[in-house]
Amino acid sequence: MELEKIMAELERRNPGEVEYLQAVHEVLESLEDTLNENPHIVESGVIERMIDPDRVLTFKVPWMDDNGKVHVNRGYRVQYNNAIGPYKGGIRFHPSVNLSILKFLGFEQIFKNALTTLPLGGGKGGSDFDPKGKSDAEIMRFCQSFMLELWKILGPDQDIPAGDIGVGAREVGYMFGMYKKLSGVHVGTFTGKGRNWGGSLIRPEATGFGATYFAQEMLKVKGETFEGKVVAISGFGNVAWGAAQKVTELGGKVVTLSGPDGYVYDPDGLDAEKIEYMLELRASNQDIVKPYSYEFPNAKFVEGKHPWEVKVDIAMPCATQNELNKEDAENLVKNGCMCISEGANMPCTPEAIDVIMESKMLYAPGKAANAGGVAVSGLEMTQNSMKLSWTREEVDERLQQIMKDIHNACVEHGKEEDGYINYPKGANIAGFLKVANAMLDQGVI
Ligand code: NDP
């Protein structure tokens, strides 16, 4: 009842912020029993204090294109919650970016970061700037202008951004360069940095690797492995390529990749050469999924459709929010899919989640399954503080352990009476309790 009131008040104060309200609703719904058992959390206003960001910075980002024309985009940083550590979360550059999307991402980030076992608070930022088709020089000028405002609220113990959609190593480089110039210090205020100036090995592929390790843990529960499994992956970016690489290494066959205009179906599955080609296409910054089907003749491009209609054993949505709807979920269930591991943030719509949960298949929400990215960001911060650099094996070993720990936390809090593991519920409760208890310890601030 109390939760219904809180949700109604949130809707009244944030009209039209669909993604934000969807994310908060999903978490609060799964917390009902936990809150009934811990009335002191509700009474101390922790929920209201957690669902509102600590602060939001909005600013204009003027920049000049290669023809001398001036453009103005909007920049944001949502500093959500720093109860267990400094604000931490990626920066997204995409025309769809708005406050609702960044608040949903920042809110999810609080729980994800808590699950990593590392001391990281939650935040998110970005701009409605579209990097597609822009020259290097235009990207650089945009990133520099973006940082002219943002740098004021960043710092290694304050707020540490990273990449997300449309932001990879190149953009982090330009933003960090400007940050360093303005602040006069070379510290680990960004993660996802280049290898030669503070970046960690494995960071670029960490989210996809982590989502695969998480799926591996879920499969183990059923006595299964990736060996011989057919896997659908969506997207074609940072997360998708790491997942494609690790699934292939573990003996799975990745048969799809996708972009906003459709998907590629490759019945032969990806291999090292094809993943290399995928990276080249990605670097070309163009319309990228379709050409894959020209290069590898057995592959076909299916326009305007989602890859979830293909018969697979495992699905890994790695593109964007709400990219897997009810019909897609029904197709997956009908075709005997046994496991979904979310590389992207909130890729399944609420209606899709209902269908998935009803089928009792293995289903990991993004805040658990894709936490490997921020976990290795945390490891990058540790290496920066210690002024040393770990080997690939050391980072990978830690990443695998963190994904196992997150899996165990989900099992501990999400196992139902009939033995089914409700991973979304487990992840929400484990992440929430850690942050809520820290907020209780620290008083009303
Ligand atoms: P990228 O920009 O590198 O890749 C996103 C990919 O998804 C691109 O191939 C893009 O195609 C495609 N895409 C975008 N919109 C759609 C759509 N509507 N339908 C199908 N495909 C689409 O982003 P990331 O890989 O970094 O991020 C992907 C997801 O993972 C996001 O939800 C992000 O928040 C989440 N995430 C990322 C982390 C990271 O470390 N990078 C960490 C944790 C979560 P195109 O380029 O043609 O638009």
Side-chain angles (χ1 to χ4, degrees):
M1 190 55 208
E2 191 63 33
L3 287 183
E4 272 169 33
K5 265 198 261 164
I6 291 175
M7 203 58 220
E9 178 61 6
L10 196 72
E11 279 166 24
R12 191 189 65 74
R13 290 172 62 211
N14 301 277
E17 297 197 0
V18 182
E19 297 84 0
Y20 167 53
L21 295 169
Q22 180 184 336
V24 176
H25 188 260
E26 190 271 329
V27 171
L28 293 191
E29 212 177 18
S30 65
L31 291 177
E32 203 162 346
D33 293 344
T34 307
L35 295 173
N36 285 338
E37 287 159 19
N38 296 280
H40 63 291
I41 293 183
V42 180
E43 282 152 20
S44 56
V46 163
I47 310 285
E48 289 90 334
R49 288 191 281 138
M50 203 186 282
I51 60 182
D52 238 5
D54 286 354
R55 68 190 62 77
V56 175
L57 176 68
T58 312
F59 49 98
K60 85 175 170 228
V61 191
W63 58 280
M64 196 179 275
D65 69 21
D66 290 343
N67 299 317
K69 187 170 176 334
V70 172
H71 302 260
V72 179
N73 284 97
R74 184 166 292 174
Y76 307 87
R77 185 73 181 165
V78 180
Q79 294 187 328
Y80 227 109
N81 185 299
N82 65 354
I84 63 166
Y87 304 108
K88 174 95 196 91
I91 299 225
R92 177 176 292 193
F93 291 162
H94 193 270
S96 66
V97 163
N98 58 33
L99 200 50
S100 168
I101 289 183
L102 295 180
K103 278 160 70 181
F104 121 63
L105 289 165
F107 183 69
E108 291 276 297
Q109 197 83 40
I110 303 172
F111 308 102
K112 181 189 311 193
N113 293 3
L115 285 169
T116 63
T117 68
L118 304 172
L120 304 168
K124 200 81 190 186
S127 171
D128 57 1
F129 171 73
D130 186 358
K132 218 173 252 178
K134 304 289 188 300
S135 70
D136 258 6
E138 287 171 334
I139 300 272
M140 183 180 75
R141 285 194 292 274
F142 176 80
C143 289
Q144 291 177 338
S145 180
F146 185 77
M147 283 314 289
L148 280 174
E149 277 298 324
L150 189 61
W151 81 279
K152 298 169 194 163
I153 59 164
L154 303 183
D157 298 314
Q158 191 177 356
D159 187 347
I160 309 100
D164 191 75
I165 291 180
V167 177
R170 174 182 57 169
E171 291 74 17
V172 168
Y174 292 145
M175 286 191 274
F176 181 79
M178 194 51 153
Y179 172 81
K180 181 170 66 75
K181 181 151 183 110
L182 292 164
S183 66
V185 288
H186 191 304
V187 284
T189 297
F190 268 85
T191 57
K193 300 188 287 298
R195 267 298 290 148
N196 295 331
W197 42 279
S200 173
L201 284 163
I202 310 261
R203 177 60 189 91
E205 51 276 66
T207 309
F209 275 21
T212 311
Y213 291 144
F214 198 93
Q216 198 179 22
E217 290 304 307
M218 290 199 291
L219 290 170
K220 257 190 222 163
V221 173
K222 297 258 175 213
E224 293 278 1
T225 67
F226 264 104
E227 190 62 47
K229 299 288 184 306
V230 180
V231 182
I233 292 182
S234 64
F236 203 69
N238 300 320
V239 181
W241 84 266
Q245 191 179 322
K246 189 50 75 181
V247 168
T248 309
E249 253 176 63
L250 294 177
K253 182 157 101 169
V254 177
V255 294
T256 69
L257 292 167
S258 75
D261 48 348
Y263 74 91
V264 162
Y265 173 61
D266 183 349
D268 300 334
L270 267 71
D271 57 23
E273 183 206 346
K274 290 173 179 176
I275 292 172
E276 194 52 43
Y277 177 71
M278 165 186 173
L279 286 174
E280 275 168 32
L281 277 183
R282 179 101 197 115
S284 70
N285 200 20
Q286 300 300 322
D287 175 19
I288 48 166
V289 197
K290 216 183 211 168
Y292 183 102
S293 62
Y294 310 146
E295 185 75 11
F296 304 104
N298 276 352
K300 65 171 183 175
F301 180 68
V302 184
E303 194 156 359
K305 293 279 192 80
H306 297 164
W308 319 122
E309 60 185 13
V310 176
K311 182 171 168 42
V312 291
D313 302 306
I314 297 167
M316 298 182 69
C318 296
T320 192
Q321 65 273 0
N322 292 329
E323 55 157 317
L324 196 158
N325 60 29
K326 182 169 183 243
E327 193 190 335
D328 296 324
E330 285 167 349
N331 278 332
L332 287 170
V333 172
K334 187 181 74 198
N335 287 329
C337 176
M338 64 164 79
C339 172
I340 298 179
S341 181
E342 294 185 345
N345 285 310
M346 207 167 76
C348 297
T349 64
E351 297 76 23
I353 295 174
D354 288 344
V355 172
I356 293 164
M357 299 297 285
E358 203 163 304
S359 78
K360 300 265 173 180
M361 74 163 83
L362 299 167
Y363 165 58
K367 62 171 78 71
N370 72 32
V374 72
V376 174
S377 278
L379 300 179
E380 181 174 329
M381 290 160 65
T382 307
Q383 293 170 76
N384 293 162
S385 310
M386 297 195 303
K387 309 259 187 280
L388 54 75
S389 158
W390 290 328
T391 62
R392 211 178 155 78
E393 290 69 31
E394 277 174 289
V395 179
D396 196 29
E397 207 174 292
R398 286 186 163 88
L399 170 62
Q400 288 187 51
Q401 189 56 50
I402 289 172
M403 298 316 295
K404 278 185 190 158
D405 291 344
I406 298 175
H407 182 267
N408 291 343
C410 291
V411 174
E412 185 189 335
H413 293 280
K415 198 162 195 168
E416 297 185 333
E417 275 171 16
D418 62 0
Y420 177 64
I421 302 166
N422 185 332
Y423 286 93
K425 186 174 168 188
N428 287 342
I429 295 174
F432 172 80
L433 283 177
K434 183 167 177 187
V435 179
N437 286 326
M439 290 173 73
L440 287 172
D441 289 347
Q442 294 166 18
V444 179
I445 44 168

